[in-house]
Amino acid sequence: MGGDHHHHEPPYKVPDYRVFKVDAKSPELVHIQNVLAEKGLKDPWMRNEVWRYNRDLIGPQTWSNRWGRLMFRKFHYGLALALATVGLEMGYAAATGGNDHGHGGHGGHH
């Protein structure tokens, strides 16, 4: 309890927040900053999140980029699992002597 005894590193490296500032390279954060300013508020921690939105780091954000990243980020894992499932089903059907499709082997329709 209270520490990382296995010394695993995160899968990404968070850049130093002092390198970044909220500017035109992160328009989402500029918008949030403006909305807060209208209400007389300020988020002093927003600079810590600039690396997630900075266009120099993540590239241009279009609808198709966002959709593609959302839908196909782990697509290859899903495809591999689907193919493995089909292969196991076919192997099981061959090992049990055919496809009775859950009819108990007595054939015919009810």
Side-chain angles (χ1 to χ4, degrees), residues 36-55:
L36 289 173
E38 288 174 4
K39 298 177 184 204
L41 301 172
K42 183 178 179 182
D43 183 357
W45 300 101
M46 190 178 297
R47 189 168 63 168
N48 294 346
E49 300 298 321
V50 171
W51 68 275
R52 295 178 191 262
Y53 297 92
N54 189 300
R55 295 296 191 262

Side-chain angles (χ1 to χ4, degrees), residues 11-90:
Y12 53 87
K13 182 78 172 163
V14 177
D16 187 8
Y17 71 92
R18 292 171 286 201
V19 175
F20 299 104
K21 63 182 179 177
V22 178
D23 60 11
K25 295 178 185 175
S26 52
E28 295 92 350
L29 295 180
V30 170
H31 174 71
I32 292 171
Q33 193 174 46
N34 292 338
V35 170
L36 289 173
E38 288 174 4
K39 298 177 184 204
L41 301 172
K42 183 178 179 182
D43 183 357
W45 300 101
M46 190 178 297
R47 189 168 63 168
N48 294 346
E49 300 298 321
V50 171
W51 68 275
R52 295 178 191 262
Y53 297 92
N54 189 300
R55 295 296 191 262
D56 290 345
L57 297 175
I58 63 172
Q61 294 300 296
T62 62
W63 181 85
S64 61
N65 286 352
R66 289 180 189 159
W67 181 255
R69 200 168 50 242
L70 174 69
M71 295 304 294
F72 299 113
R73 177 178 286 165
K74 302 292 182 179
F75 180 76
H76 54 281
Y77 292 123
L79 181 61
L81 288 172
L83 293 174
T85 301
V86 169
L88 289 171
E89 287 283 336
M90 292 176 70

